[in-house]
């Protein structure tokens, strides 16, 4: 739970005292504040700022500035930011499961509460052991490949097997090679 609490503290400091003052804060002060936020079970300031800026549309809030601040504070306090942490995590727009991949390719708003760019993030669609037929077909079309049904079925089997053996998703060149 303590991982990246400092990010919440920093976000709150940005609102309270400004970015420049947050950048000059002592690491021991930031760690102490992180522990206080954790013990009090306060809402994470970056999530509050994100909600006000993204959902309510308050243009005075700048959620895209929170990640760099969180990274700075995490480095100063030697705490990690959970990659799945809302607003500031590096993997919050990463997906590897079939139905979600398909939905994200067709209409990202189906699965994402806000565009990745609004918080300085990028969407990452990973194709591997869990990818489905339609999602793979859409991705292959995106790289200019249009296999027939038999080749697509073979490619899915190859991709799933290879991804499981590597324990990692595959690159576009790997997807392309699976058609050969």
């Amino acid at each position: 739970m303590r991982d990246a609490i400092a990010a919440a503290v920093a976000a709150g400091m940005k609102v309270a005292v400004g970015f420049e003052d947050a950048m000059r804060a002592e690491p021991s002060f930031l760690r102490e504040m992180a522990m206080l936020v954790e013990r009090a079970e306060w809402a994470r300031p970056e999530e509050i700022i994100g909600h006000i800026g993204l959902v309510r549309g308050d243009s005075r809030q700048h959620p895209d500035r929170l990640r760099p601040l969180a990274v700075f504070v995490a480095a100063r306090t030697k705490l990690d930011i959970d990659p799945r942490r809302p607003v500031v995590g590096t993997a919050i727009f990463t997906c590897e499961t079939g139905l979600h991949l398909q939905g994200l390719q067709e209409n990202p708003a189906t699965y994402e509460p806000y565009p990745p760019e609004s918080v300085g993030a990028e969407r990452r669609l990973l194709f591997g052991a869990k990818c489905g037929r339609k999602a793979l077909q859409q991705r292959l079309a995106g790289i200019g490949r249009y296999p027939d049904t038999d080749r697509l079925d073979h490619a899915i089997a190859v991709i799933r097997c290879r991804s499981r053996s590597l324990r990692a998703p595959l690159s576009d060149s790997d997807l392309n090679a699976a058609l050969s």
Side-chain angles (χ1 to χ4, degrees):
M1 178 142 160
R2 282 198 53 195
D3 60 311
I5 285 286
V9 174
M13 289 178 64
K14 174 189 176 282
V15 171
V17 298
F19 184 78
E20 290 76 22
D21 291 335
M23 299 297 262
R24 288 192 292 273
E26 290 296 318
S28 59
F29 169 76
L30 295 173
R31 273 192 297 278
E32 195 172 312
M33 289 299 295
M35 290 170 57
L36 196 119
V37 168
E38 179 183 339
R39 277 184 290 207
E41 296 183 13
W42 293 342
R44 295 172 178 161
E46 76 270 18
E47 292 177 20
I48 294 169
I49 292 167
H51 177 78
I52 293 169
L54 298 165
V55 177
R56 293 192 176 178
D58 185 337
S59 61
R60 294 173 296 171
Q61 305 304 318
H62 301 281
D64 59 318
R65 296 181 185 170
L66 294 173
R67 182 177 300 190
L69 182 59
V71 169
F72 172 80
V73 172
R76 294 269 301 200
T77 59
K78 296 183 176 36
L79 295 174
D80 295 323
I81 298 173
D82 181 343
R84 298 268 180 211
R85 176 110 180 224
V87 184
V88 297
T90 56
I92 59 175
F93 293 98
T94 300
C95 178
E96 188 180 354
T97 56
L99 187 58
H100 294 116
L101 287 170
Q102 179 185 346
L104 285 166
Q105 289 178 99
E106 289 180 13
N107 180 6
T110 306
Y111 292 98
E112 295 173 344
Y114 45 85
E117 302 77 26
S118 62
V119 292
E122 292 180 6
R123 181 178 302 112
R124 290 183 52 219
L125 303 181
L126 307 175
F127 294 83
K130 301 174 193 170
C131 83
R133 164 187 283 278
K134 184 73 171 172
L136 179 60
Q137 190 174 27
Q138 288 172 320
R139 181 64 201 131
L140 290 172
I143 59 174
R145 299 295 303 264
Y146 303 92
D148 61 29
T149 304
D150 291 337
R151 289 189 75 169
L152 183 62
D153 289 341
H154 175 72
I156 288 172
V158 169
I159 289 165
R160 288 177 178 168
C161 182
R162 181 150 171 74
S163 177
R164 282 188 190 106
S165 70
L166 293 172
R167 296 182 184 209
L170 304 181
S171 67
D172 281 350
S173 60
D174 292 328
L175 297 179
N176 211 2
L179 289 171
S180 303

